[in-house]
Amino acid sequence: MKKSSAVLIAIACLAMIVSLFVPLWTVTLEAPQYPEGLILEIWLNKLGGQVDIISELNHYIGMKKISVEMFPEFEYMRTILLGVVISGLLVAILRKKWLFVFWFVVFFGIAALGIYDFWSWEYDYGHNLDPRAAIKIPDMYYQPPLLGCKQLLNFNACSFPATGGWIVILSGTLSFLVFAYELFFNKKRSHK
Amino acid sequence: MLNLLLLPAAFLAVTIISGCGGKQEKKSVASGDAPGKVYVAPGKLDKYYEFLSGGFSGQVSVYGLPSCRLLKVIPVFAVNAENGYGFTEESKNMLNSTHGNIPWDDSHHPELSMTDGKPDGRWLFINSNNTPRIARIDLSTFRTAEIIEIPNSGGCHASPFTTENTDYVVAATRFSVPIEGNKDVPINTYKENFKGTLTFVKVDKTTGNMGIGFQILMPGFDYDLAHSGKGPSSGWFFFSCYNSEQAHTLLEANASQNDKDFIVAVNYKKAEEYLAQGKGKDFACKYYHNTLDEKTHSVNSEVLSGVKMLDPKDCPGLLYLMPCPKSPHGADVDPTGEYIVGGGKLATVIPVFGFSKIQKAIEAKDFIGDVNGIPILKYESVMAGEVQKPGLGPLHTEFDGKGFAYTSFFVSSEVVKWKLGTWEVVDRIPTYYSIGHLSIPGGDSKSPWPDYLLAMNKITKDRYLLTGPELNQSAQLIDITGEKMKILYDFPTVGEPHYAQGLPADLVMNHQVKVFKLEDNKHPYACLNEKDARVERKGNEVHVYMTSVRSHFVPDNIEGVKVGDVVYFHVTNLEQDWDTPHGFAVKGSTSSELLIMPGETQTLKFTPKEADIYPFYCTDFCSALHQEMQGYMRVSPANSNVALTFSTGK
């Protein structure tokens, strides 16, 4: 593995440390009577934003009260990201290509799992409704979008990466570019 | 004498002109681009806040300028069943006084707190004219935060004008009354027994809390209006007074005999020196001080006693009397602090005093006599100029900071613009009808914002669609940006505004409270969680610790209350979202409703008279299921054995 590749991986890993301390994802909700908007922030270890106010509004349609207990992932997500960062730094130091490929596959696997996990929470949150809800609309479900905007009754819900999410995405992209370079353009020196 | 004839003649003229109004097609007096200048498009915000006193409404109304849209009515000196002010257990103490709990007063002069001689947007002070008090309104919540009673006073009119850095707000008695010793005296002993007082109320720089600093014992005149000096005249205060004749009956004639009454110049820095020297006499009296505790949302009343009274006899150099034609109302200090304008309501000129001339006259002892040892300065020595033939019945003057003054004329019903220094009238504009006070945002400060002038009138007649014999007062917005004044808009007001003050919106908008934080709620009966909602009995008192959140109360079924019980509904609004108040009302309550802001606790006291089921509900449309936000309380006969129970959703 080329030295410059190792430096780039180290930079990607160090940058992801910031993601431990900033929100990963934001869901914003706008409605006619909420011109100022409501924000739900998803961190690696907690929720932020106007969680109680959103829960208060959503109880009419039978959505669950959003709480930290709904996310057992909060217990270990920081540890996992920290593991990716430390192992990535080790890869950069050792500069073994096979080790790097293995690390990259694991990193992307974890990212894919994380996105699936978030989507499945959104699915449950939007579909698993209290049958005693005050407002019931046949065939209407309230799953927020994973990425992009979606109209849910009077609310326009928009879901986008926040600072932490962008850092992880950029770090992932950088890792992918290094991965592609090492695999397809750096064959000659691969056994050095 | 001419004036006494003119006054009724002018009234007659107004009556005749407006009496014919019904038959004539009235032309709009607004012209050109007036609509564009007051139109604030939907969703856009006004440029200025304007605070108008409510007069006999007892309250303060808040308008946006230039749209003249009513933003809010702040309850101050009168109860307000609409939001429970003066009725709830938390707020009722605000209206306590040595005379008991007073549900009404006459609010007169709004005064914004100032820093460096400019309105700073922190507080608004206002006086009550009838039972002497001063209130402080917190402009982050638009709530009355404090009321202090003014002792040794027969009515609080020349109030609550503020000093450049809000060190003091003042109060001067409009009615002189017996102050010392026996008060049970014949009214016709006025001249020997009746006195006035000037009160300097100290204001805490950070909290705004008021306390009586000191009082000055004054001759038995009627003190009318005042203003603090500024710049070169810093440390001085100027009070106008009428009835220097000291009449006690038929004042309209008996108090209008002297050609000149007085503007009293007070050196209050000197007063502080005399106090430090121990010249202030301990003067026994009692007065109430009521303050709103932000943590409990409740008003605490305390009874204070004693003030320090300065007697001018012991304090040379404290006071000077400046003769002022005739029965002056306004005592208005221009932005430079050099000129003091007297509004002699029966005078044929507008007299203007020069502060530097006053200082010279004092130095030269240019006195023409004294009243109880207070020197009277020679009019010609202190007069800087007179505006000749300005109009009839000058009352009050404000300034644009560009060298012009604007004076209201009640009798000739107009605003007159004139130039400081040359004393020439440069423009005049009619008002509809009989203007009292006028207001330019910052118009009594060091640097006015000279866009608009608000004329507040006493007579309305045909200005709006008729509403029977009782009409609202009228106000006109006037553009003062050009050489000529232009009328822009005309609107009815709340109560009878006696003055208004305005300031740029940003100074108030930048520190608005949107919700009260639940974690800061230290109300002793607060219930911060639905799980803790409960009903407790203490003898015949039943305390309901109730929560409200969209769209239910906890508890909403209560049983076991008996006739003879006194029920306290302590309702905490658990919402923490902006603009989500809940209301609370119970059938048969002889009190008001509650209107509870997010995070706040308010208490309704209810004494059911008969065994019955009493419905209660939310009165503020809070959500799509607002109409479902209701509950029941069962009240059983006095001797019943029904157990005290409560629930929601069971």
Side-chain angles (χ1 to χ4, degrees):
Chain A
M1 176 177 191
K2 230 181 152 184
K3 193 173 183 179
S4 54
S5 296
V7 168
L8 288 173
I9 291 301
I11 288 170
C13 286
L14 289 171
M16 283 196 290
I17 293 174
V18 177
S19 304
L20 296 168
F21 308 103
V22 290
L24 215 57
W25 221 261
T26 8
V27 181
T28 56
L29 297 165
E30 275 188 31
Q33 52 280 87
Y34 281 91
E36 75 278 19
L38 291 168
I39 291 175
L40 176 66
E41 286 173 358
I42 292 132
W43 298 52
L44 277 170
N45 61 330
K46 63 176 181 183
L47 295 168
Q50 290 139 307
V51 180
D52 292 338
I53 292 171
I54 292 167
S55 288
E56 193 46 55
L57 292 167
N58 288 347
H59 91 271
Y60 291 113
I61 47 176
M63 293 169 88
K64 290 190 194 107
K65 190 172 157 57
I66 306 172
S67 66
V68 178
E69 292 79 56
M70 292 168 95
F71 300 89
E73 296 91 338
F74 286 160
E75 301 273 333
Y76 49 80
M77 274 181 28
R78 287 175 80 166
T79 316
I80 289 176
L81 186 77
L82 211 55
V84 169
V85 167
I86 291 166
S87 58
L89 289 173
L90 276 174
V91 165
I93 292 164
L94 298 173
R95 287 175 61 198
K96 295 272 186 264
K97 190 180 248 182
W98 64 269
L99 199 59
F100 167 65
V101 170
F102 179 71
W103 174 83
F104 176 79
V105 170
V106 171
F107 174 28
F108 264 62
I110 288 170
L113 268 173
I115 288 165
Y116 172 75
D117 187 56
F118 182 43
W119 178 86
S120 60
W121 171 79
E122 285 187 328
Y123 182 88
D124 179 68
Y125 181 59
H127 285 77
N128 198 351
L129 305 172
D130 185 345
R132 284 181 46 76
I135 300 169
K136 273 184 277 194
I137 299 170
D139 301 323
M140 179 74 195
Y141 298 102
Y142 308 100
Q143 180 179 356
L146 194 62
L147 193 69
C149 295
K150 190 173 164 190
Q151 190 73 27
L152 300 168
L153 299 185
N154 56 333
F155 277 96
N156 185 33
C158 291
S159 175
F160 288 104
T163 315
W166 282 120
I167 290 171
V168 172
I169 288 167
L170 288 174
S171 296
T173 310
L174 191 60
S175 305
F176 175 76
L177 290 175
V178 171
F179 174 77
Y181 173 79
E182 287 291 331
L183 225 56
F184 301 110
F185 300 99
N186 197 22
K187 282 177 185 167
K188 283 180 186 171
R189 297 178 207 171
S190 64
H191 294 292
K192 255 188 183 175
Chain B
M1 203 56 209
L2 177 71
N3 285 310
L4 289 174
L5 291 172
L6 271 173
L7 196 61
F11 270 127
L12 199 63
V14 167
T15 314
I16 291 166
I17 292 162
S18 54
C20 297
K23 285 175 191 166
Q24 291 167 356
E25 190 59 37
K26 255 200 309 183
K27 272 198 290 183
S28 173
V29 288
S31 60
D33 52 354
K37 288 195 167 166
V38 293
Y39 183 71
V40 176
K44 299 287 179 198
L45 302 178
D46 277 300
K47 200 171 167 189
Y48 295 100
Y49 280 98
E50 184 79 6
F51 298 90
L52 280 65
S53 75
F56 46 63
S57 91
Q59 320 295 41
V60 166
S61 59
V62 189
Y63 286 83
L65 298 185
S67 76
C68 305
R69 294 185 291 201
L70 176 65
L71 305 174
K72 187 171 175 60
V73 175
I74 308 169
V76 188
F77 290 114
V79 295
N80 188 43
E82 181 180 331
N83 71 353
Y85 179 82
F87 291 94
T88 65
E89 295 304 294
E90 289 76 12
S91 66
K92 64 182 188 185
N93 286 347
M94 193 55 95
L95 301 175
N96 283 345
S97 77
T98 52
H99 304 273
N101 189 277
I102 301 178
W104 171 90
D105 213 305
D106 181 14
S107 64
H108 264 250
H109 310 117
E111 280 283 319
L112 291 158
S113 57
M114 293 200 285
T115 302
D116 299 331
K118 286 181 275 185
D120 58 21
R122 296 206 286 169
W123 309 305
L124 181 79
F125 299 91
I126 187 159
N127 60 316
S128 64
N129 191 32
N130 185 39
T131 302
R133 287 170 292 168
I134 295 176
R136 179 174 57 88
I137 295 160
D138 186 334
L139 292 183
S140 66
T141 57
F142 282 61
R143 287 186 169 190
T144 302
E146 183 181 8
I147 291 182
I148 191 164
E149 192 175 0
I150 308 297
N152 307 315
S153 172
C156 182
H157 195 276
S159 178
F161 301 92
T162 56
T163 54
E164 284 169 289
N165 285 301
T166 325
D167 301 302
Y168 292 105
V169 297
V170 299
T173 184
R174 176 249 179 105
F175 299 93
S176 283
V177 286
I179 302 233
E180 292 171 290
N182 181 24
K183 294 179 181 180
D184 181 19
V185 295
I187 297 169
N188 65 15
T189 62
Y190 186 104
K191 282 185 182 170
E192 53 187 285
N193 286 323
F194 286 43
K195 297 269 190 251
T197 53
L198 307 181
T199 307
F200 283 73
V201 176
K202 196 102 185 94
V203 179
D204 186 277
K205 276 200 172 359
T206 47
T207 62
N209 279 340
M210 298 182 284
I212 308 279
F214 60 92
Q215 294 191 308
I216 303 173
L217 195 63
M218 297 297 290
F221 305 151
D222 289 30
Y223 298 88
D224 205 14
L225 285 172
H227 260 102
S228 162
K230 47 172 106 70
S233 53
S234 268
W236 287 73
F237 228 103
F238 304 94
F239 293 86
S240 64
C241 64
Y242 59 100
N243 193 20
S244 56
E245 297 86 349
Q246 304 201 43
H248 58 85
T249 182
L250 198 64
L251 266 66
E252 69 169 325
N254 292 337
S256 305
Q257 296 306 306
N258 290 350
D259 277 343
K260 292 191 174 70
D261 294 283
F262 300 110
I263 285 181
V264 188
V266 183
N267 184 342
Y268 69 84
K269 290 289 169 200
K270 201 111 194 168
E272 289 174 342
E273 287 170 23
Y274 281 125
L275 278 174
Q277 291 166 23
K279 291 275 172 77
K281 281 184 213 154
D282 283 310
F283 212 86
C285 58
K286 287 208 182 307
Y287 57 100
Y288 266 75
H289 183 214
N290 311 320
T291 46
L292 177 66
D293 182 332
E294 286 170 8
K295 299 287 178 199
T296 60
H297 311 127
S298 304
V299 177
N300 301 316
S301 277
E302 53 180 340
V303 185
L304 302 174
S305 54
V307 291
K308 292 281 182 196
M309 183 76 77
L310 290 172
D311 190 330
K313 277 191 295 230
D314 313 328
C315 307
L318 177 62
L319 302 179
Y320 298 92
L321 300 174
M322 305 194 289
C324 182
K326 174 178 185 179
S327 299
H329 194 54
D332 302 300
V333 182
D334 88 309
T336 68
E338 167 63 15
Y339 297 122
I340 300 109
V341 181
K345 50 185 190 281
L346 307 179
T348 49
V349 297
I350 305 173
V352 184
F353 303 93
F355 185 73
S356 48
K357 288 192 142 195
I358 295 168
Q359 293 308 96
K360 272 185 206 146
I362 291 171
E363 218 166 282
K365 295 200 180 339
D366 205 351
F367 307 142
I368 57 162
D370 72 280
V371 176
N372 303 346
I374 306 168
I376 304 172
L377 294 162
K378 191 178 170 194
Y379 177 66
E380 289 73 15
S381 305
V382 292
M383 193 262 286
E386 285 176 338
V387 182
Q388 297 294 332
K389 294 185 184 166
L392 297 172
L395 284 185
H396 172 223
T397 303
E398 294 236 305
F399 307 90
D400 65 4
K402 298 188 287 190
F404 295 98
Y406 301 75
T407 303
S408 61
F409 287 80
F410 176 83
V411 176
S412 52
S413 186
E414 61 188 331
V415 173
V416 173
K417 178 180 176 181
W418 50 275
K419 198 164 169 48
L420 287 156
T422 67
W423 325 118
E424 58 187 336
V425 171
V426 295
D427 191 23
R428 53 180 75 232
I429 191 167
T431 59
Y432 307 90
Y433 303 95
S434 287
I435 181 174
H437 279 264
L438 48 76
S439 163
I440 294 167
D444 71 342
S445 76
K446 263 186 180 169
S447 46
W449 292 276
D451 287 340
Y452 308 106
L453 180 149
L454 187 66
M456 286 159 279
N457 308 298
K458 304 299 186 187
I459 296 171
T460 306
K461 299 265 166 100
D462 57 355
R463 297 307 292 176
Y464 318 112
L465 294 178
L466 298 184
T467 56
E470 188 180 341
L471 304 169
N472 273 16
Q473 259 62 15
S474 71
Q476 282 103 37
L477 189 71
I478 292 167
D479 179 354
I480 56 164
T481 53
E483 253 178 66
K484 289 268 172 199
M485 294 180 278
K486 286 181 203 157
I487 186 165
L488 296 177
Y489 202 60
D490 190 337
F491 63 101
T493 59
V494 176
E496 186 198 341
H498 290 276
Y499 183 38
Q501 287 214 326
L503 78 173
D506 287 350
L507 291 173
V508 177
M509 282 284 277
N510 62 13
H511 59 98
Q512 288 302 296
V513 170
K514 288 181 175 172
V515 299
F516 296 111
K517 283 185 187 152
L518 264 180
E519 63 257 37
D520 293 342
N521 184 332
K522 303 291 177 227
H523 192 293
Y525 291 99
C527 181
L528 304 182
N529 198 310
E530 286 188 357
K531 287 182 208 116
D532 301 328
R534 62 196 184 277
V535 181
E536 286 176 0
R537 174 179 286 283
K538 282 182 201 158
N540 73 332
E541 285 183 6
V542 175
H543 292 272
V544 183
Y545 294 72
M546 186 179 274
T547 63
S548 64
V549 78
R550 283 163 289 173
S551 304
H552 57 274
F553 294 107
V554 180
D556 66 5
N557 280 201
I558 301 164
E559 300 200 358
V561 177
K562 296 172 203 169
V563 173
D565 286 344
V566 180
V567 185
Y568 292 88
F569 292 98
H570 309 286
V571 187
T572 303
N573 182 349
L574 294 182
E575 306 278 359
Q576 290 289 273
D577 196 1
W578 185 22
D579 197 10
T580 54
H582 288 291
F584 180 84
V586 58
K587 184 190 162 186
S589 164
T590 54
S591 184
S592 72
E593 69 152 345
L594 300 177
L595 195 61
I596 315 141
M597 295 305 120
E600 190 184 31
T601 305
Q602 291 285 298
T603 301
L604 183 79
K605 183 181 169 186
F606 176 47
T607 311
K609 303 269 189 310
E610 285 175 27
D612 203 346
I613 299 288
Y614 291 86
F616 54 82
Y617 71 104
C618 173
T619 55
D620 185 310
F621 203 108
C622 57
S623 69
L625 294 168
H626 157 75
Q627 203 69 351
E628 283 73 9
M629 193 164 172
Q630 62 177 49
Y632 291 105
M633 179 172 72
R634 174 183 170 190
V635 176
S636 306
N639 56 359
S640 123
N641 294 322
V642 177
L644 196 65
T645 56
F646 53 90
S647 60
T648 289
K650 278 178 192 158

